[in-house]
Amino acid sequence: MRKRPALAVVLSGTFLANLDVFIVVVAVPAIERGLHANEGQQQLVLAGYQLVYGLGLVAGGRLGDHVGAFRIFGIGTALFTAASLGCGLAPTAGALVAARLVQGLGTALVVPQAYRTAQTLFAGDARRQAFALTGAVMGSGAVCGQLLGGWLLAADVLGLGWRAVFLVNVPVGVAALAALPWVTGTPRRPRQPGHGPLPEPGPKTERAGGRGPEAEPERGPGRRSAGPRVRLDLPGTALAALALGLVTAPLVTAGESGPPWWTVPCAVVSLPAAVLFLRHERAVQRRGGDPLLPPHLLRLPGFRPGLALVALVNSGLGAFILILGLLLQRGLRQGPWETGLGMLPTAGAFVVTSLLGPRLPVAPFRLLCGAALLSTAGYLGCVVSAVRGDLPWLLVGLGVSGAGLGLFVTPSLAVTLRTVPARMSGAASGVLSTVQQLAAALGVCVFGTLFFALVHSGTGHPGAFAAVTAAIATTTAAGGVLAAVLRPAAPSPEAAAPAAAGEGAGRPEATH
């Protein structure tokens, strides 16, 4: 197993998954003109992808536990790449919507495997660096979406127009699939019966022929064999999709006029659906089965507070990217390319500080507090510069907020997963990814509705941006307060060791 190249391959798919949430935003007007897409179809191109993506994350993570992270990553990347080609070649708006839904399914399989790979292949300093790289890639994918989309549309590469924002995924996906056998140490010839599944992160390893550790598949609760047989909790998957769908569907389909009228009824119905799901999971565990969401996962020390930290930062980040793009495009009359360039201070600072964070001699919870203070100061700097109409200082504020967010995202991921045993890392990764998506959707819905309400009331785009950014600043401030009052949880003995012998093993982790 080539650990670092393996992580790089997995993160390439994760980057594309997050990029595709935002890159399409700048292409919607061109799609409307090119395919004569009506308003409903335009909304489905954006929201359909996010909906399927969010609903499938928990199941995608659990499949990683059952079958192996790299095998599920390969299946998801193949789906995503094929669907991207379908999007780029779509002859009608309906075909584009269908391909986007398949893209979302592939993404749901890909994203949880990034967290699982970082959690199970590395330990100590190496694990913190892996989480830093994961956070940097995911955040930069989100922030760079409009930058790359604006450039592709402005450059009109090969005369492809809007189709280029989808076709750009294809060579990256093909390259990731081609590199997968090499990074996992798997021969390209078909494996013979009895030789086991692809090498995967797992608690037991052995050296074979000098090619590095090959992991045996993990034996979860109630599993009879170590083979790749999948025993996915299908009723639990359906109940989870129902409960999450009732919450996310109104949020991702909300337009400029705010959430639809059926938002509250859906939220009310989602509560008994969630209760039924949790009862079913407990029943499955009592029978010795493999629940989709192991009930004791939520009782692990530090896991729920970590999810709260992740939710706070993501609820503000997604909304801030949205209203910043609206300010630059509609308020300051910038084109797609100039709007993308306006994202550079946030994106650049985010990536740099995400990678530097693990090297700082600061305990994770103290780093979270400092990062929250820095990002809040950056947000407030954006508020002042927007009110004064000072574009250079706005760019400075964007850089400061991006730096703080980069320092916040990485340790929040590590803190959340530090007590999770390797056998449940896939399920935990799915839950973490789901919380990220739900928080981002809720933030976009709430803060976006407030932004448009202020614009329609005559406040203007700069004033609306300033008011909403001040509200968004409270999310990172609250994250800092939460980090300050939390007590560090000691890592699980199983989670503290890497899945395979090698780099990063045996290095102590800071616990406070």
Side-chain angles (χ1 to χ4, degrees):
M1 176 71 68
R2 299 171 174 90
K3 294 182 180 181
R4 293 188 183 278
L7 180 64
V9 168
V10 172
L11 290 181
S12 69
T14 305
F15 177 83
L16 292 180
N18 285 272
L19 184 81
D20 261 51
V21 175
F22 293 95
I23 194 173
V24 181
V25 174
V26 296
V28 166
I31 292 172
E32 178 186 7
R33 293 190 299 269
L35 295 182
H36 307 289
N38 59 40
E39 185 175 342
Q41 290 170 327
Q42 294 173 49
Q43 197 170 50
L44 282 173
V45 168
L46 295 171
Y49 172 83
Q50 291 178 272
L51 185 60
V52 177
Y53 176 12
L55 295 183
L57 285 167
V58 177
R62 200 57 170 146
L63 280 171
D65 285 333
H66 283 283
V67 182
F70 295 115
R71 178 167 292 184
I72 295 302
F73 172 82
I75 294 171
T77 301
L79 273 177
F80 180 84
T81 304
S84 296
L85 181 62
C87 288
L89 301 178
T92 64
L96 177 60
V97 169
R100 281 287 279 175
L101 296 179
V102 179
Q103 257 194 329
L105 178 60
T107 300
L109 296 177
V110 166
V111 170
Q113 314 319 323
Y115 296 126
R116 189 179 193 277
T117 301
Q119 175 78 355
T120 57
L121 281 186
F122 302 94
D125 290 341
R127 178 179 293 164
R128 283 192 290 273
Q129 292 168 9
F131 275 123
L133 190 58
T134 301
V137 167
M138 296 189 75
S140 61
V143 176
C144 291
Q146 295 191 51
L147 173 63
L148 181 58
W151 179 80
L152 289 172
L153 288 173
D156 193 18
V157 180
L158 300 178
L160 292 170
W162 62 265
R163 298 180 186 275
V165 304
F166 298 108
L167 294 176
V168 72
N169 299 330
V170 176
V172 181
V174 170
L177 290 172
L180 195 58
W182 175 74
V183 299
T184 58
T186 307
R188 292 183 180 273
R189 60 179 176 78
R191 299 179 68 84
Q192 300 300 318
H195 285 196
L198 292 172
E200 296 293 342
K204 299 179 181 180
T205 59
E206 61 183 10
R207 299 257 178 192
R211 299 195 56 171
E214 290 200 0
E216 297 176 7
E218 299 171 16
R219 295 176 183 265
R223 199 170 307 171
R224 296 180 181 178
S225 70
R229 181 183 176 188
V230 178
R231 296 178 59 190
L232 187 63
D233 176 17
L234 294 179
T237 303
L239 287 171
L242 175 63
L244 292 172
L246 288 168
V247 175
T248 56
L251 298 180
V252 300
T253 56
E256 295 189 8
S257 58
W261 64 267
W262 39 276
T263 299
V264 173
C266 282
V268 171
V269 177
S270 70
L271 294 177
V275 171
L276 187 60
F277 166 70
L278 293 175
R279 288 182 176 177
H280 170 79
E281 296 302 280
R282 286 194 290 267
V284 170
Q285 190 172 51
R286 284 195 300 268
R287 294 196 300 267
D290 290 324
L292 180 69
L293 176 62
H296 54 284
L297 176 64
L298 297 177
R299 296 194 294 269
L300 291 174
F303 187 66
R304 284 181 294 182
L307 292 178
L309 288 171
V310 170
L312 284 169
V313 69
N314 278 274
S315 64
L317 177 58
F320 183 69
I321 294 171
L322 170 68
I323 65 172
L324 175 60
L326 291 170
L327 171 68
L328 294 173
Q329 286 185 298
R330 300 186 184 182
L332 303 181
R333 304 296 179 185
Q334 303 293 312
W337 173 232
E338 290 79 9
T339 297
L341 288 176
M343 302 286 178
L344 271 180
T346 303
F350 186 101
V351 172
V352 169
T353 56
S354 293
L355 297 176
L356 288 179
R359 303 179 184 274
L360 298 176
V362 182
F365 282 89
R366 292 181 181 177
L367 181 59
L368 284 169
C369 294
L373 181 62
L374 185 62
S375 57
T376 301
Y379 280 144
L380 295 179
C382 292
V383 170
V384 174
S385 57
V387 170
R388 297 176 56 183
D390 193 335
L391 183 58
W393 280 106
L394 174 63
L395 297 178
V396 172
L398 292 175
V400 173
S401 62
L405 290 168
L407 289 173
F408 195 99
V409 168
T410 296
S412 69
L413 298 177
V415 163
T416 304
L417 295 175
R418 66 186 284 121
T419 61
V420 176
R423 68 181 183 278
M424 291 193 294
S425 59
S429 299
V431 173
L432 176 59
S433 302
T434 301
V435 168
Q436 286 181 309
Q437 291 302 307
L438 281 176
L442 181 61
V444 166
C445 182
V446 173
F447 293 121
T449 299
L450 176 59
F451 179 87
F452 289 120
L454 290 171
V455 169
H456 294 155
S457 70
T459 303
H461 286 83
F465 173 83
V468 175
T469 300
I472 289 174
T474 63
T475 62
T476 52
V481 172
L482 178 59
V485 301
L486 285 178
R487 291 185 177 181
S492 160
E494 183 182 345
E503 60 180 280
R507 298 181 184 177
E509 287 202 60
T511 57
H512 52 80

